[in-house]
Amino acid sequence: MFLSVENIGLSYQTAERETMAVKDVSFDVKEGEFVSIVGPSGCGKSTLLSCIAGLTVPTTGQIIFKGRPTDGVREDVGYMLQSDNLMPWRSIYKNVTLGLEIQNKLTAENEAYAQSLLKKYDLWEFKDSYPSRLSGGMRQRAALIRTLAVKPDLLLLDEAFSALDYQTRVNVSRDVYRILRAENKTMVMVTHDIPEAVAMSDRVVVLSKRPSVVQKILTLPFGRRRDPISVRGHGRFQSFFDAVWKEMNI
Amino acid sequence: MNNTRYSRSRYLRAVQKEKRAVRILQLSIVAGLLFAWEAGTRLGLADAFIVSSPVRMFSMFVTMAGGDLARHVMYTVGETMAGFFLGVAMGFGAAVGLWYSPFAHKVLSPYLVVLNSLPKVALGPVIIVWAGAGISAVITMALAISLIVTIMELTHGFYSTDANMMTTVQSFGAGKWECFKKVVMPYNVPVLFQSLKVNIGLCLVGVITGEFLVSRAGLGYLIVYAGQVFKMDLVMMSVVLLGFIAFLMYSAVSAAEKLAVKIINHI
């Protein structure tokens, strides 16, 4: 299996108490698949993603990616957080190559790849601009290219669009969907927006409320070549929304 | 279109007009005060021997300028600069250390708080004995007054760096030092300059305090000496000159800040 999340449990320790957010969560992700994780707030879904990224150590269980257990940040996993986090003191080009810089991979070949992404996704003319001059959607695209530039095999999106207004959000999620499918990436996305999860993913993992377990895994029939906006008008879209909604509220 | 351009130019004119009014009023206040001061002493409302007067100050300035006023100014400015740069370097180094090791920060925090609230002038005798009665004591006093504040402000700034930006670079595998270079430092340029602005003023306070206590040169020395021999013209002239120097130094830091922010933040 490409990615295995095996019996992950997560407890937060504070001076007052121990809170168990995740009790026991397991699921697999196939190569090239788009999996969303949804669940009630406080169910630990973001921390679960942070575990897959290697930024947080789970209390129990393990993550196995490409046959190797994750025990820290790994260069083959890309992680995108809520809001773009572009650095205002760096030009778009410098922002996009930040990951390459940190990983000491600023080779001519990698830079050429970053440049090709900028060209392909309509940011080339802004490469010398600073983030403050770009719209929310463009900034999100730049952030995505920054993640893609280091050529991760797995992409993690943590509420990546929730800082945007609704219209931008829907448009950006289509942009991002197209880019990620075109680059043939494997993705795990955490969101609280059920329509977003249904519109974009191949499977939706529904977590129960805290301490969470996997409530249900739904497989969606819309295919890889869908349009994440027009699929919302698909005859079966509503029934999947209802199914996720029902599982989440048990 | 014409209409908007018209209102734009009207807006710009209004801004200009207000700026001019502020400047004119500021200068009038100074001129008015000087005039009232001079007139008050001429009319016998106050004794010029006790309160001095603008004209007497100016003639004192002209007399002193021919003598060793320049030397005194050089001492004060030189000591302040030395205290400033030393304080910034040491404060920055300490703040980086306290950011790098949260454990050390936890251990040392209460000491910083105590040192910060301690009136540093109380250390005067200790400083004189330890650093010797001279320039080194004056610079040490400047450091004593400015250093702790610098450390506290910078450390606070470093710890308040945007958490999501940090996670972003960490997700690329950045280590602690890399986080500092790529995020913490550039993010805190405004904080750094804010502390430099406070620092330059505090250094001047430290230098004058130091000169009061020990030195044989500098404006602080001049003020104490003139006070003892009742030369109020010299006291007042030195104080005004000091205010002018403080203003120039602050302006220099402010100009450097504008430049740095422009280069780094591209706004």
Side-chain angles (χ1 to χ4, degrees), chain A residues 55 73-75 77 79 81-90 98-99 101-103 130 132 146-147 150, chain B residues 162-175 178 181-184 186-187 263-267:
Chain A
L55 285 161
V73 176
R74 31 196 300 175
E75 297 192 351
V77 178
Y79 185 51
L81 294 93
Q82 194 180 84
S83 88
D84 52 71
N85 295 306
L86 295 176
M87 289 162 199
W89 54 86
R90 287 176 163 252
L98 177 73
E101 208 177 296
I102 291 170
Q103 298 180 1
Y130 287 85
S132 56
R146 174 181 62 192
T147 311
V150 296
Chain B
D162 188 283
N164 282 333
M165 279 194 195
M166 297 285 277
T167 313
T168 300
V169 291
Q170 278 162 359
S171 77
F172 287 118
E178 202 109 30
K181 281 192 300 186
K182 297 279 194 282
V183 183
V184 178
Y187 188 86
I263 292 173
I264 288 165
N265 275 348
H266 310 277
I267 301 163

Side-chain angles (χ1 to χ4, degrees), chain A residues 74-137:
Chain A
R74 31 196 300 175
E75 297 192 351
D76 49 7
V77 178
Y79 185 51
M80 264 181 84
L81 294 93
Q82 194 180 84
S83 88
D84 52 71
N85 295 306
L86 295 176
M87 289 162 199
W89 54 86
R90 287 176 163 252
S91 67
I92 292 303
Y93 187 72
K94 282 278 181 186
N95 263 296
V96 161
T97 52
L98 177 73
L100 293 173
E101 208 177 296
I102 291 170
Q103 298 180 1
N104 284 319
K105 293 199 289 204
L106 265 178
T107 60
E109 183 197 344
N110 286 334
E111 280 202 70
Y113 178 60
Q115 288 163 11
S116 74
L117 289 171
L118 282 170
K119 283 179 189 145
K120 203 149 121 197
Y121 302 116
D122 302 324
L123 283 173
W124 182 246
E125 56 176 310
F126 296 99
K127 69 175 169 33
D128 297 318
S129 303
Y130 287 85
S132 56
R133 282 204 42 224
L134 272 61
S135 70

Side-chain angles (χ1 to χ4, degrees), chain A residues 21-40:
Chain A
V22 178
K23 191 176 172 195
D24 183 4
V25 167
S26 302
F27 61 90
D28 291 331
V29 178
K30 293 192 275 288
E31 186 162 10
E33 200 180 16
F34 194 138
V35 172
S36 289
I37 303 172
V38 299

